[in-house]
Amino acid sequence: MKSDCHKLKETVKKLKEEHEFRGLLHYTDFSNLSSIIEIGYLCSRALCYANNIEFTDVWDKDIIAVNDLKNCTRFYYEKKCNSRLKMDVPVCLVFSEELICFDLSVFTDGDADSIYTKFGTDNEFFSKKIDWETVFNIEPDDDLSENMKTSRRKKMAELIIDEPVSIRNLKNIVFRSIADYKRACSLFGKNKYYSVEPEMFFNEKNFIKDYNIVYDGKIDSNIFVLHFSTNQPVQESGNNEYKLYDLEGNIIRSTKIKFPESSSVDFNLEVMKTEVPVRFEFWFGGILSIEETIG
């Protein structure tokens, strides 16, 4: 632990009181949850590549970074502060503020990829050099003036740490929709750490917000019905598909689906059943969105 840990804790207490600080935020793609849970650690990009850990890299490769941070895990203090992250299905991992006191934790006063950003390791930097009013400012930042660019950089203040971070320090796994929550429950089981908080995410894109799968052998033993609702009306058919697998992972059927352009956000899809239990996967707009066992 850092030598001035007690002072850092006092600063954190103040942030909670004044800004409702809830913990350190790490945004990643849903597809990375499986390896994080299996390994038990949040690892840097470099460590994943070095150990052949399959993962979706969410960092915008077009951004020119002045600091090489591939060996670091990175955290933010406030929601929706970095629109450059590229995630098909975003998930927010909320880690304990105890990481702030870790010896290897480094603080930045803004976007760690910026030439203007400074780095520090003690409470003097953490409490006085980071512009906390800007970090927790929720006002929109569409203005492209130099002052706003500076504010945007400051809002992206980070904690970076050059070591894997144990998920024992994880407080919450936050999903943008009930559909993503149900998918996590289907894959990993229900968990008290799960929450659904759409306000934590940029939600401009269309995605499945919720769904139900209905099948009743007494009424019709040949089909099950997927009812789902979307974040926006469907503007074009998109790349939609469902697949059925047996429980050993062998594919049984793959079918492309077209949805007409519509002002509706509610849809039904009838799927012919098989005689054995199956794994059902549904892609909406080319993104895997639903995974359920049927039967």
Side-chain angles (χ1 to χ4, degrees):
M1 291 292 179
K2 294 183 183 294
S3 60
D4 60 352
C5 184
H6 63 291
K7 293 182 180 179
L8 286 165
K9 288 184 177 181
E10 285 298 316
T11 303
V12 168
K13 181 180 178 182
K14 186 177 180 181
L15 293 179
K16 289 182 176 181
E17 293 171 350
E18 297 182 358
H19 300 289
E20 298 182 351
F21 172 56
R22 66 182 292 182
L24 294 155
L25 310 182
H26 180 87
Y27 284 88
T28 190
D29 192 82
F30 189 104
S31 61
N32 292 330
L33 280 181
S34 179
S35 63
I36 293 171
I37 292 172
E38 181 178 349
I39 296 169
Y41 286 87
L42 185 63
C43 300
S44 68
R45 296 151 68 202
L47 192 60
C48 288
Y49 283 125
N51 290 276
N52 296 317
I53 299 171
E54 292 188 9
F55 77 109
T56 300
D57 194 340
V58 303
W59 286 92
D60 189 341
K61 297 175 178 59
D62 294 329
I63 297 296
I64 299 175
V66 297
N67 299 303
D68 186 4
L69 301 173
K70 292 181 180 179
N71 291 310
C72 298
T73 49
R74 302 170 68 169
F75 302 88
Y76 296 101
Y77 301 95
E78 178 61 310
K79 62 188 177 184
K80 297 197 297 187
C81 64
N82 189 350
S83 60
R84 302 181 319 199
L85 300 178
K86 306 298 182 182
M87 298 168 285
D88 286 340
V89 183
V91 176
C92 180
L93 308 181
V94 184
F95 280 78
S96 169
E97 61 273 14
E98 293 295 325
L99 296 184
I100 292 169
C101 287
F102 281 21
D103 280 332
L104 292 180
S105 291
V106 176
F107 316 123
T108 78
D109 67 354
D111 178 10
D113 292 322
S114 171
I115 192 173
Y116 302 106
T117 292
K118 294 180 173 58
F119 297 72
T121 59
D122 57 17
N123 184 67
E124 180 71 15
F125 184 95
F126 184 74
S127 62
K128 297 180 180 180
K129 300 300 182 181
I130 300 176
D131 184 351
W132 291 112
E133 292 298 326
T134 297
V135 169
F136 290 103
N137 179 23
I138 61 173
E139 295 300 317
D141 58 357
D142 296 331
D143 186 359
L144 296 179
S145 67
E146 287 303 316
N147 286 340
M148 184 54 69
K149 289 179 182 178
T150 298
S151 294
R152 191 174 299 165
R153 181 190 65 80
K154 289 182 176 180
K155 189 175 180 65
M156 294 169 64
E158 299 179 51
L159 180 148
I160 58 177
I161 183 167
D162 187 10
E163 67 176 0
V165 177
S166 172
I167 61 174
R168 287 179 295 181
N169 297 291
L170 188 62
K171 295 170 66 176
N172 292 103
I173 300 178
V174 184
F175 303 101
R176 65 178 175 179
S177 70
I178 297 174
D180 295 345
Y181 165 82
K182 289 180 176 178
R183 183 180 170 198
C185 291
S186 174
L187 291 172
F188 313 119
K190 291 186 177 181
N191 197 305
K192 65 180 180 180
Y193 297 108
Y194 295 167
S195 65
V196 178
E197 302 176 50
E199 67 276 10
M200 294 288 287
F201 303 89
F202 295 101
N203 290 322
E204 290 78 10
K205 296 181 179 179
N206 203 3
F207 57 87
I208 296 177
K209 292 180 65 176
D210 195 6
Y211 70 89
N212 285 294
I213 296 175
V214 180
Y215 53 98
D216 190 337
K218 295 180 181 179
I219 298 175
D220 191 336
S221 60
N222 297 319
I223 66 169
F224 65 84
V225 181
L226 169 66
H227 304 283
F228 67 94
S229 59
T230 57
N231 186 49
Q232 302 170 4
V234 173
Q235 299 300 319
E236 55 186 42
S237 62
N239 184 13
N240 310 302
E241 180 181 16
Y242 76 80
K243 294 181 181 180
L244 298 181
Y245 297 84
D246 65 26
L247 299 187
E248 295 182 353
N250 301 305
I251 191 163
I252 298 173
R253 186 191 312 152
S254 177
T255 303
K256 300 285 187 180
I257 304 294
K258 287 188 177 181
F259 295 104
E261 185 171 328
S262 169
S263 60
S264 176
V265 294
D266 295 299
F267 299 89
N268 294 325
L269 173 65
E270 292 188 354
V271 179
M272 296 296 296
K273 286 178 61 178
T274 65
E275 296 181 356
V276 297
V278 293
R279 190 71 183 169
F280 171 71
E281 295 184 355
F282 182 65
W283 277 258
F284 180 70
I287 296 172
L288 181 57
S289 302
I290 297 173
E291 299 178 77
E292 290 277 357
T293 299
I294 308 295

